[in-house]
Amino acid sequence: MHFLGITWNPNETLFNIGFIQIKYYNLLWITAFALGWFIMKKIFLNEKKSVEQLDSLFIYTVLSTMLGARLGHVFFYDWAYYSNHLVEILIPVRESASGSLLFGLIDGYEFTGFAGLASHGATIGIIIGTYLYTRKFPEFKMLWIFDRMVIPVAIGCFCVRLGNFFNSEINGKIVDENFIFATKFIRDSDDLHPSKALGITQEKTLNAAYAAIENNPQFSQYLAEIPYRHPAQLYEGIGYLLIFVLLYFLYWKTDKKNKPGYLFGLFFVLLWTVRFLVEFVKKSQGGFEESLGLLSTGQWLSIPFILIGLYFMFKKTKTA
């Protein structure tokens, strides 16, 4: 009896426009940037900065975030694959043996969107993008921007992890079905590969195949074989949401924003600590953890950011 466990099988695609798929994940990324602009506009106006300056910062941030997140995934987690598929690094396609035609013209590839994005890479990208922004607008200091930018970034991180949940990706380790948050991710490709789902059901589309496995008693055996897992994306996302609430409160209700680097450092400590802890129940994402052992790739990458955060929190600075 599956009393506490839930079965998770959403169609991650909202709708199609030709060959382009609009997914929850894409929509939540857009939501993250939209919320970020709205929150930063409120902060800029509060501190007598112009919206034109914010618009430029927004462009730098969007481009550096996406580029950094993509390259972070490529080099930190899956270089073995992308070293032989260089064209897929910055173009949202993937090699396919299904005989599909990209744009109806190019054989052997399908449009997928960017399926691999890494938060550590996104962080590095934002830092570089902000540095380039301050070179163009020297009236801004990097720490001043960081102490304010971390507020929308925190809510953005929540949106991204919610998108991961809809995509049934970055799931947790196997857990007993009676665990209160146990979740059966039918679309987890490690537990039930799409090609296997199609082969078992003989359906023409993946959505129909997954629906059949979930609802048709004929395929109950295969449904039972899919393990329950920790919804690690939600653990992480809720942690980021709480960090957003705390930073928002500290900015508007205290004078912590006047200590250069404090909010930035606190964000680093809290966010990467949440990431470090959730990694204990998260399924391996690959990378270099096998060669280093003991900790996961995500944990090894989080430690330097935590240390950097502690430095900025406790270093002696003059109040702005």
Side-chain angles (χ1 to χ4, degrees), residues 143 259-262 264-266 307-315 317:
L143 281 182
K259 181 184 178 183
Y262 182 84
F264 172 63
L266 179 62
L307 296 176
I308 291 171
L310 289 171
Y311 167 77
F312 280 104
M313 282 185 69
F314 296 109
K315 73 183 181 72
T317 57

mmCIF file of all heavy atoms in Angstrom, residues 143 259-262 264-266 307-315 317:
data_model
loop_
_atom_site.group_PDB
_atom_site.id
_atom_site.type_symbol
_atom_site.label_atom_id
_atom_site.label_comp_id
_atom_site.label_asym_id
_atom_site.label_seq_id
_atom_site.Cartn_x
_atom_site.Cartn_y
_atom_site.Cartn_z
ATOM 1 N N LEU A 143 30.952 44.843 -4.912
ATOM 2 C CA LEU A 143 30.313 44.378 -3.681
ATOM 3 C C LEU A 143 28.964 45.042 -3.461
ATOM 4 O O LEU A 143 28.021 44.423 -2.929
ATOM 5 C CB LEU A 143 31.227 44.617 -2.478
ATOM 6 C CG LEU A 143 32.363 43.610 -2.281
ATOM 7 C CD1 LEU A 143 33.164 43.943 -1.031
ATOM 8 C CD2 LEU A 143 31.819 42.181 -2.191
ATOM 9 N N LYS A 259 27.156 47.244 5.217
ATOM 10 C CA LYS A 259 28.452 46.624 5.452
ATOM 11 C C LYS A 259 28.851 45.899 4.173
ATOM 12 O O LYS A 259 28.336 44.817 3.883
ATOM 13 C CB LYS A 259 28.389 45.645 6.615
ATOM 14 C CG LYS A 259 29.735 44.983 6.910
ATOM 15 C CD LYS A 259 29.635 43.943 8.019
ATOM 16 C CE LYS A 259 30.993 43.273 8.229
ATOM 17 N NZ LYS A 259 30.948 42.201 9.249
ATOM 18 N N PRO A 260 29.738 46.469 3.364
ATOM 19 C CA PRO A 260 30.060 45.888 2.050
ATOM 20 C C PRO A 260 30.474 44.415 2.136
ATOM 21 O O PRO A 260 31.372 44.055 2.892
ATOM 22 C CB PRO A 260 31.223 46.758 1.562
ATOM 23 C CG PRO A 260 31.034 48.062 2.266
ATOM 24 C CD PRO A 260 30.498 47.711 3.627
ATOM 25 N N GLY A 261 29.771 43.587 1.397
ATOM 26 C CA GLY A 261 30.118 42.179 1.309
ATOM 27 C C GLY A 261 29.382 41.279 2.271
ATOM 28 O O GLY A 261 29.426 40.055 2.119
ATOM 29 N N TYR A 262 28.675 41.845 3.262
ATOM 30 C CA TYR A 262 28.049 40.990 4.282
ATOM 31 C C TYR A 262 26.918 40.144 3.693
ATOM 32 O O TYR A 262 26.888 38.924 3.876
ATOM 33 C CB TYR A 262 27.519 41.817 5.444
ATOM 34 C CG TYR A 262 26.919 40.948 6.534
ATOM 35 C CD1 TYR A 262 27.724 40.381 7.507
ATOM 36 C CD2 TYR A 262 25.546 40.675 6.564
ATOM 37 C CE1 TYR A 262 27.185 39.558 8.488
ATOM 38 C CE2 TYR A 262 24.996 39.851 7.533
ATOM 39 C CZ TYR A 262 25.820 39.300 8.494
ATOM 40 O OH TYR A 262 25.286 38.476 9.453
ATOM 41 N N PHE A 264 26.306 39.468 0.618
ATOM 42 C CA PHE A 264 26.908 38.601 -0.395
ATOM 43 C C PHE A 264 27.528 37.373 0.274
ATOM 44 O O PHE A 264 27.309 36.230 -0.144
ATOM 45 C CB PHE A 264 27.967 39.388 -1.172
ATOM 46 C CG PHE A 264 28.800 38.571 -2.106
ATOM 47 C CD1 PHE A 264 28.245 37.904 -3.181
ATOM 48 C CD2 PHE A 264 30.174 38.475 -1.915
ATOM 49 C CE1 PHE A 264 29.026 37.155 -4.056
ATOM 50 C CE2 PHE A 264 30.966 37.734 -2.774
ATOM 51 C CZ PHE A 264 30.391 37.064 -3.839
ATOM 52 N N GLY A 265 28.297 37.598 1.326
ATOM 53 C CA GLY A 265 28.927 36.495 2.027
ATOM 54 C C GLY A 265 27.921 35.577 2.680
ATOM 55 O O GLY A 265 28.047 34.345 2.629
ATOM 56 N N LEU A 266 26.900 36.147 3.317
ATOM 57 C CA LEU A 266 25.854 35.350 3.959
ATOM 58 C C LEU A 266 25.140 34.474 2.936
ATOM 59 O O LEU A 266 24.855 33.297 3.188
ATOM 60 C CB LEU A 266 24.857 36.270 4.656
ATOM 61 C CG LEU A 266 23.686 35.587 5.361
ATOM 62 C CD1 LEU A 266 24.168 34.689 6.485
ATOM 63 C CD2 LEU A 266 22.696 36.636 5.890
ATOM 64 N N LEU A 307 33.668 29.044 1.930
ATOM 65 C CA LEU A 307 34.817 29.721 2.532
ATOM 66 C C LEU A 307 34.901 31.180 2.085
ATOM 67 O O LEU A 307 35.198 32.075 2.890
ATOM 68 C CB LEU A 307 36.101 28.978 2.170
ATOM 69 C CG LEU A 307 36.220 27.548 2.723
ATOM 70 C CD1 LEU A 307 37.500 26.889 2.218
ATOM 71 C CD2 LEU A 307 36.181 27.559 4.246
ATOM 72 N N ILE A 308 34.619 31.418 0.806
ATOM 73 C CA ILE A 308 34.605 32.800 0.307
ATOM 74 C C ILE A 308 33.527 33.606 1.034
ATOM 75 O O ILE A 308 33.735 34.757 1.427
ATOM 76 C CB ILE A 308 34.363 32.816 -1.217
ATOM 77 C CG1 ILE A 308 35.581 32.239 -1.950
ATOM 78 C CG2 ILE A 308 34.071 34.237 -1.710
ATOM 79 C CD1 ILE A 308 35.346 32.004 -3.434
ATOM 80 N N GLY A 309 32.358 32.984 1.224
ATOM 81 C CA GLY A 309 31.280 33.666 1.934
ATOM 82 C C GLY A 309 31.652 34.027 3.358
ATOM 83 O O GLY A 309 31.373 35.138 3.827
ATOM 84 N N LEU A 310 32.299 33.107 4.064
ATOM 85 C CA LEU A 310 32.727 33.385 5.438
ATOM 86 C C LEU A 310 33.723 34.543 5.475
ATOM 87 O O LEU A 310 33.679 35.386 6.383
ATOM 88 C CB LEU A 310 33.354 32.127 6.049
ATOM 89 C CG LEU A 310 32.367 30.987 6.357
ATOM 90 C CD1 LEU A 310 33.128 29.721 6.750
ATOM 91 C CD2 LEU A 310 31.400 31.399 7.471
ATOM 92 N N TYR A 311 34.610 34.590 4.490
ATOM 93 C CA TYR A 311 35.584 35.687 4.429
ATOM 94 C C TYR A 311 34.880 37.030 4.327
ATOM 95 O O TYR A 311 35.192 37.975 5.073
ATOM 96 C CB TYR A 311 36.527 35.485 3.244
ATOM 97 C CG TYR A 311 37.356 36.711 2.929
ATOM 98 C CD1 TYR A 311 38.463 37.035 3.706
ATOM 99 C CD2 TYR A 311 37.012 37.555 1.873
ATOM 100 C CE1 TYR A 311 39.213 38.178 3.445
ATOM 101 C CE2 TYR A 311 37.755 38.690 1.597
ATOM 102 C CZ TYR A 311 38.855 38.997 2.385
ATOM 103 O OH TYR A 311 39.592 40.124 2.124
ATOM 104 N N PHE A 312 33.907 37.141 3.420
ATOM 105 C CA PHE A 312 33.233 38.427 3.224
ATOM 106 C C PHE A 312 32.323 38.776 4.401
ATOM 107 O O PHE A 312 32.122 39.962 4.700
ATOM 108 C CB PHE A 312 32.431 38.420 1.926
ATOM 109 C CG PHE A 312 33.272 38.665 0.709
ATOM 110 C CD1 PHE A 312 33.617 37.622 -0.137
ATOM 111 C CD2 PHE A 312 33.745 39.932 0.411
ATOM 112 C CE1 PHE A 312 34.408 37.842 -1.259
ATOM 113 C CE2 PHE A 312 34.529 40.165 -0.700
ATOM 114 C CZ PHE A 312 34.865 39.117 -1.540
ATOM 115 N N MET A 313 31.797 37.779 5.092
ATOM 116 C CA MET A 313 30.952 38.065 6.248
ATOM 117 C C MET A 313 31.732 38.649 7.408
ATOM 118 O O MET A 313 31.277 39.562 8.097
ATOM 119 C CB MET A 313 30.244 36.785 6.716
ATOM 120 C CG MET A 313 29.048 36.366 5.886
ATOM 121 S SD MET A 313 28.232 34.927 6.619
ATOM 122 C CE MET A 313 27.545 35.676 8.118
ATOM 123 N N PHE A 314 32.949 38.136 7.636
ATOM 124 C CA PHE A 314 33.666 38.472 8.858
ATOM 125 C C PHE A 314 34.902 39.346 8.652
ATOM 126 O O PHE A 314 35.576 39.692 9.615
ATOM 127 C CB PHE A 314 34.054 37.186 9.588
ATOM 128 C CG PHE A 314 32.867 36.401 10.043
ATOM 129 C CD1 PHE A 314 32.529 35.206 9.427
ATOM 130 C CD2 PHE A 314 32.048 36.871 11.056
ATOM 131 C CE1 PHE A 314 31.424 34.479 9.836
ATOM 132 C CE2 PHE A 314 30.943 36.156 11.476
ATOM 133 C CZ PHE A 314 30.610 34.951 10.873
ATOM 134 N N LYS A 315 35.188 39.714 7.395
ATOM 135 C CA LYS A 315 36.323 40.605 7.185
ATOM 136 C C LYS A 315 35.975 41.994 7.719
ATOM 137 O O LYS A 315 34.817 42.421 7.707
ATOM 138 C CB LYS A 315 36.702 40.670 5.708
ATOM 139 C CG LYS A 315 35.753 41.442 4.814
ATOM 140 C CD LYS A 315 36.209 41.369 3.370
ATOM 141 C CE LYS A 315 35.289 42.168 2.451
ATOM 142 N NZ LYS A 315 35.447 43.596 2.633
ATOM 143 N N THR A 317 35.531 45.740 7.565
ATOM 144 C CA THR A 317 35.306 46.757 6.528
ATOM 145 C C THR A 317 34.678 47.982 7.168
ATOM 146 O O THR A 317 34.067 47.914 8.243
ATOM 147 C CB THR A 317 34.359 46.257 5.429
ATOM 148 O OG1 THR A 317 33.107 45.859 6.036
ATOM 149 C CG2 THR A 317 34.951 45.064 4.692
#
